[in-house]
Amino acid sequence: MKIWTVANQKGGVGKTTTTVTLGGILAQKNQRVLLIDTDPHASLSYYFGIDSEALTKSTYDIFVDDGPITKDRVLDCLCPTKLDTLFVLPATMNLATLDRKLGAKSGMGLVLTKALNAVADEFDYVLIDCPPVLGVLMVNALAACHRILVPVQTEFLALKGLDRMMHTLEIMSKSLNKMFDALIVPTMYDKRVNAAKEAYAALKSDYGEATWKSTIPVDTRFREASQAQTPISIYAPRSRGAYAYTKLLLELETL
């Protein structure tokens, strides 16, 4: 089972789109995929038509329920999607209270690791969508993963946020005694705009091999796909966005 965490401490850079799209492409390849929503805003959950306010079980319950984290306990929290092999561990607003409730409690950084170990034989890939805040949830997502994807909008304010995220990864690497395999993914790239070209050039200059050598373009089909509650690879398989993420996945699978 491969576990990828999608994280950035800046919002609106394409984390959920990246998680959903890569998950959709993998599911189309008949891979068994679990998407985990750890953001209290529950954008990933809503993308698939899951009403977080109507849920009886969610990611929150994995953290707060007493007792051992068993396979049945984790599977009981999952929601199916339109794709037979794609499942979602959904989020609720209650996740926003975890740092206050559990932040100082011993062992809380490994809850997701234990949950994923319990279902390791059920899935081929797990993608974790993170909130834009360093706390219990992001720490869990970083501790559990094999690779980190850092989507970054190709504009200069987003690059400033990236500096903070990369510094966080340095700190967490030491804290967890774990080397992170991180790939920066330039998103929302518009080749017609000089500022976007300059931002992409700055990414490659500042972060070198850590930056993906291609980009995710601006594509209105992403918005249409989310309204249809369907990954763009299914909604518009010939779109620029679907092609770009397919290219990204091919590279990730060979790294």
Side-chain angles (χ1 to χ4, degrees):
M1 182 171 71
K2 296 181 180 179
I3 305 170
W4 298 344
T5 286
V6 183
N8 193 326
Q9 286 172 267
K10 187 179 187 307
V13 296
K15 292 189 296 294
T16 299
T17 296
T18 297
T19 307
V20 167
T21 307
L22 291 176
I25 297 169
L26 286 165
Q28 285 178 277
K29 293 184 172 186
N30 294 319
Q31 299 294 312
R32 300 169 300 166
V33 183
L34 174 61
L35 306 183
I36 300 180
D37 193 348
T38 64
D39 190 337
H41 290 105
S43 296
L44 172 64
S45 304
Y46 283 121
Y47 191 108
F48 289 98
I50 301 167
D51 183 355
S52 69
E53 296 180 5
L55 292 171
T56 57
K57 295 285 185 178
S58 70
T59 305
Y60 179 76
D61 297 279
I62 301 294
F63 282 86
V64 300
D65 283 358
D66 293 328
I69 301 178
T70 63
K71 178 191 288 190
D72 287 343
R73 177 176 158 188
V74 177
L75 294 179
D76 191 43
C77 295
L78 305 188
C79 294
T81 68
K82 296 175 183 177
L83 300 175
D84 290 342
T85 62
L86 182 65
F87 292 81
V88 174
L89 178 54
T92 63
M93 279 300 296
N94 288 337
L95 287 174
T97 68
L98 284 183
D99 280 301
R100 176 170 49 84
K101 288 183 176 180
L102 305 173
K105 189 175 178 181
S106 177
M108 292 313 298
L110 298 175
V111 172
L112 273 186
T113 299
K114 294 175 182 176
L116 293 177
N117 285 341
V119 295
D121 60 346
E122 295 288 328
F123 298 99
D124 302 304
Y125 285 86
V126 177
L127 281 79
I128 308 172
D129 189 17
C130 287
V133 178
L134 179 61
V136 167
L137 292 161
M138 187 182 287
V139 169
N140 266 267
L142 295 177
C145 74
H146 303 129
R147 172 172 289 145
I148 301 167
L149 304 179
V150 186
V152 181
Q153 185 179 357
T154 44
E155 57 97 14
F156 279 97
L157 285 179
L159 300 194
K160 292 297 182 183
L162 175 62
D163 291 340
R164 186 168 67 251
M165 183 65 209
M166 299 308 284
H167 181 61
T168 293
L169 291 183
E170 287 182 22
I171 295 172
M172 293 306 302
S173 178
K174 294 175 183 177
S175 175
L176 296 168
N177 193 27
K178 173 181 179 179
M179 290 296 295
F180 289 124
D181 179 5
L183 182 66
I184 297 166
V185 181
T187 61
M188 305 178 193
Y189 181 71
D190 190 338
K191 64 182 180 182
R192 301 167 299 179
V193 178
N194 285 334
K197 294 179 182 178
E198 291 168 3
Y200 180 48
L203 273 178
K204 292 190 291 184
S205 174
D206 292 346
Y207 295 100
E209 291 299 314
T211 303
W212 184 39
K213 291 179 175 57
S214 190
T215 60
I216 304 299
V218 171
D219 190 340
T220 57
R221 290 300 187 95
F222 283 124
R223 186 179 299 110
E224 295 172 7
S226 67
Q227 291 173 341
Q229 299 177 350
T230 304
I232 193 173
S233 58
I234 297 171
Y235 179 81
R238 297 184 179 179
S239 63
R240 291 177 299 161
Y243 174 79
Y245 274 109
T246 300
K247 184 178 178 181
L248 172 61
L249 180 59
L250 287 173
E251 183 159 334
L252 289 170
E253 290 180 322
T254 58
L255 289 175

